[in-house]
Amino acid sequence: MKYLSTRGGGDLLTFEEVVLAGLAPNGGLYIPERIPSLPPNWQQEWESYSFADLSAAVLALYISPDELSAAELRALVARSYSTFRHPDVTPAVKIGEREFLLELFHGPTFAFKDVALQLLGNLFEFFLARRNARKAPGEPPEKLTVVGATSGDTGSAAIYGLRGKKNVSIFILHPKGRVSPIQEAQMTTVTDSNVHNIAVKGTFDNCQDIVKTLFADRPFNERHRLGAVNSINWARILAQTVYYFLAYFHVRRQLPHPARAELQFVVPTGNFGDVLAGYYAKRMGLPMGQLVVATNANDILARFWRSGRYEKVDAGASGVAAGGATAPAGGASDGRQAEGGVRETLSPAMDILVSSNFERLLWYLVYETSAAASDNARRAEAGATVDGWMKDLKSDGRVAVPTAVLELARKDFLAERVSDEQTLDTIKQYFIKTPSYIADPHTAVGLTAAQIVAAHNASSVVQVVLCTAHPAKFSEAVTNALSTSQGFNFEKDVLPQEFRGLLEKERRVIDVDEPNEELVKRVIESKVGAADAGGGDTGGSV
């Protein structure tokens, strides 16, 4: 199995090269040269597999055995998922007759991103150790400088996955004051010498743009050997496909007539990585209906499925203010408005302007609607088209796709937009129902979208909503929704022991006073240089 860039070019890379590179030199994202089919007897053979067993089986379809042997792969996944608190890793919880939650928050940082980032950290360490073991005595070791942007959960999950890893430094950019207090504390209270938190005065999209610029800067990239932990890294998408398979088996076990059921996965998403993993699982042959994309007020994805236009700001909306910024989302936690059209909501991990992983889906949509005669010609057309679209998006802020592309996208996906008011109502609704369940605001977005879609579903459809974070990570939204509910006690009902005292711990963070890639470069240069010289990190500002 080799990998290619969504923006064209003839180079095909190995899995190891893709994991360590993250982003392609031409700015594209790596995808497998083909999507493998499941083994003939996968349902019988995999039915009783643990999460680690399923992970080894699924990943082996995308990784050549000469890169990772079966024993090496099994050891890596076993190590990665030994850190999870639940024996199923991602358990399926029944909350209604035809409604399940897939709990993805049982990892070290209580968010779904632990599933991928615990594995990715071990992959980085394994590949670097193997490369360095092959070097001659006295030859300097290969090192990796991991750079990522976070709207909340990626940062802490990446840090917990990479803290203390040999020959790896990690720099995480987050928008200053725009992540939840728990999320910020989870990141900035990790004081391992290889961990560096950068608070940028700006938005998540500013942070993400800086990261992409650094990866596109070839001299800087080559000098520091940049690696990616954001979902632009293919290994993250691949790791997340596994819990769709686990859900398939575990949900069906809890149904009286599993053969008659059609699973419909509902995914709260911002950057499109989590739901894209479901798309790969479906393309491999996992039985499911349409995937439901659940967005908050930052609804670029919902608008695409409605209109076929992928645009940063909805130019036709009445809420567009002067200068292109959108009006604050109703019911937002503080009513403030982010820059560049991003609305601050109660589900901040989904507060994005552009969904990076959507580019991967666009490649497949162009490839499959191409009339070119050969596979190579279809690949070339897809790469050239996506490259052009991404340039248009950067320069003009919008792309309109052909009707055939939109129609194909609608075969596999539905999309719904959910407001903050609906999010609060849903949190309260699920708390007071039987059985009672306390959902975080992102999961509540998914639950709301599921209810909207369920009104049009056949009776055979069973919904599985991806539960992406523990409610304690978003105390303000949960408390706001449930403060008047009889019997609710945040300390008793929500707060896990691991979070107690977290906000009072020592922190280390570097402030960057404007979204400027040169300032971030300066931070990385100084910290990597200090580490090479044996120095430490004391925080600061630039």
Side-chain angles (χ1 to χ4, degrees):
M1 177 70 78
K2 295 294 179 71
Y3 293 83
L4 54 90
S5 168
T6 52
R7 301 191 190 181
D11 293 340
L12 293 177
L13 275 64
T14 65
F15 178 74
E16 177 179 335
E17 290 170 333
V18 164
V19 169
L20 293 176
L23 192 68
N26 61 9
L29 308 185
Y30 287 112
I31 56 175
E33 60 179 342
R34 69 183 187 282
I35 298 177
S37 298
L38 297 173
N41 298 320
W42 69 274
Q43 287 178 300
Q44 292 75 32
E45 293 178 4
W46 294 4
E47 185 176 12
S48 61
Y49 276 12
S50 68
F51 188 93
D53 292 335
L54 279 173
S55 183
V58 173
L59 269 59
L61 300 176
Y62 289 88
I63 305 170
S64 299
D66 56 350
E67 288 198 74
L68 282 176
S69 69
E72 289 169 332
L73 184 55
R74 283 187 171 276
L76 280 166
V77 298
R79 180 181 174 192
S80 300
Y81 301 118
S82 66
T83 60
F84 282 65
R85 296 178 299 278
H86 196 284
D88 291 338
V89 180
T90 60
V93 178
K94 189 172 185 178
I95 58 171
E97 184 181 355
R98 295 194 298 273
E99 189 176 26
F100 288 77
L101 282 171
L102 186 64
E103 292 186 338
L104 306 178
F105 56 71
H106 293 282
T109 70
F110 294 75
F112 82 94
K113 295 175 183 180
D114 287 322
V115 175
L117 287 164
Q118 285 294 301
L119 176 64
L120 183 58
N122 287 324
L123 286 170
F124 281 154
E125 188 173 54
F126 177 87
F127 288 139
L128 286 174
R130 186 167 67 181
R131 289 183 173 207
N132 289 329
R134 297 168 179 166
K135 291 184 176 293
E139 193 176 354
E142 285 194 36
K143 297 183 178 183
L144 194 66
T145 303
V146 173
V147 183
T150 186
S151 56
D153 287 333
T154 293
S156 56
I159 286 167
Y160 275 70
L162 292 174
R163 63 186 304 182
K165 298 294 185 187
K166 191 174 181 180
N167 293 319
V168 179
S169 296
I170 178 169
F171 294 82
I172 293 295
L173 285 65
H174 71 267
K176 184 176 177 64
R178 300 188 186 278
V179 298
S180 80
I182 287 290
Q183 288 174 319
E184 183 180 358
Q186 281 187 310
M187 293 187 288
T188 59
T189 58
V190 176
T191 57
D192 296 60
S193 61
N194 71 323
V195 174
H196 311 280
N197 284 283
I198 301 175
V200 178
K201 188 175 181 180
T203 68
F204 166 68
D205 288 279
N206 294 145
C207 296
Q208 189 159 251
D209 287 344
I210 290 172
V211 170
K212 288 182 177 180
T213 300
L214 297 185
F215 274 89
D217 184 335
R218 289 198 179 190
F220 185 83
N221 192 334
E222 291 172 2
R223 184 162 65 251
H224 294 292
R225 185 62 186 279
L226 299 188
V229 288
N230 285 79
S231 53
I232 59 175
N233 193 306
W234 163 249
R236 277 194 54 180
I237 305 300
L238 179 56
Q240 291 170 191
T241 63
V242 177
Y243 46 69
Y244 287 90
F245 286 89
L246 188 87
Y248 174 80
F249 290 117
H250 285 209
V251 168
R252 284 166 60 88
R253 287 178 198 168
Q254 301 179 58
L255 297 175
H257 305 290
R260 302 178 193 170
E262 178 185 271
L263 298 193
Q264 180 183 68
F265 289 95
V266 184
V267 189
T269 192
N271 237 3
F272 202 70
D274 208 8
V275 71
L276 182 70
Y279 173 77
Y280 277 104
K282 184 177 185 181
R283 290 286 305 274
M284 292 168 69
L286 184 66
M288 67 175 77
Q290 288 172 298
L291 289 149
V292 180
V293 177
T295 79
N296 61 19
N298 298 289
D299 60 348
I300 184 172
L301 293 170
R303 286 186 280 113
F304 169 81
W305 264 277
R306 185 172 67 243
S307 68
R309 295 190 303 274
Y310 187 60
E311 52 189 356
K312 294 182 179 180
V313 177
D314 185 0
S318 59
V320 176
T326 55
S333 54
D334 55 13
R336 291 177 300 168
Q337 183 175 312
E339 302 169 10
V342 180
R343 303 182 186 190
E344 290 193 14
T345 75
L346 295 174
S347 44
M350 297 157 62
D351 289 352
I352 55 87
L353 196 62
V354 174
S355 299
S356 292
N357 276 289
F358 191 61
E359 179 173 336
R360 285 183 164 115
L361 178 65
L362 287 175
W363 189 95
Y364 288 107
L365 296 176
V366 176
Y367 173 84
E368 290 176 16
T369 55
S370 170
S374 69
D375 183 67
N376 285 338
R378 289 194 295 274
R379 287 186 186 183
E381 181 182 337
T385 300
V386 170
D387 184 46
W389 283 348
M390 292 302 104
K391 288 175 179 174
D392 289 345
L393 184 67
K394 186 172 184 178
S395 61
D396 303 333
R398 64 182 58 85
V399 170
V401 303
T403 301
V405 168
L406 178 60
E407 288 177 349
L408 183 59
R410 286 173 171 169
K411 287 184 178 180
D412 287 316
F413 296 91
L414 296 168
E416 293 292 341
R417 176 190 189 274
V418 175
S419 70
D420 273 351
E421 291 89 347
Q422 291 172 301
T423 301
L424 292 172
D425 289 344
T426 297
I427 293 173
K428 186 170 184 176
Q429 174 192 340
Y430 278 82
F431 176 71
I432 63 177
K433 72 179 293 191
T434 303
S436 177
Y437 195 92
I438 301 176
D440 88 285
H442 305 80
T443 302
V445 169
L447 288 166
T448 308
Q451 291 178 340
I452 296 169
V453 171
H456 308 285
N457 282 346
S459 60
S460 59
V461 174
V462 175
Q463 292 183 314
V464 183
V465 179
L466 272 58
C467 186
T468 55
H470 192 284
K473 300 195 77 168
F474 303 95
S475 57
E476 182 179 0
V478 173
T479 302
N480 186 10
L482 301 180
S483 59
T484 60
S485 297
Q486 186 175 0
F488 172 70
N489 184 306
F490 182 83
E491 292 275 334
K492 179 175 70 71
D493 298 334
V494 181
L495 193 67
Q497 185 61 40
E498 291 87 342
F499 285 7
R500 299 181 188 275
L502 183 63
L503 297 178
E504 287 74 49
K505 286 187 176 181
E506 174 195 355
R507 303 189 189 198
R508 194 175 68 215
V509 62
I510 303 156
D511 290 319
V512 173
D513 292 335
E514 60 179 288
N516 184 307
E517 62 267 18
E518 294 301 325
L519 295 179
V520 174
K521 280 185 187 179
R522 193 185 307 168
V523 172
I524 294 173
E525 296 273 10
S526 66
K527 299 305 178 185
V528 170
D532 290 341
D537 183 7
T538 58
S541 63
V542 293

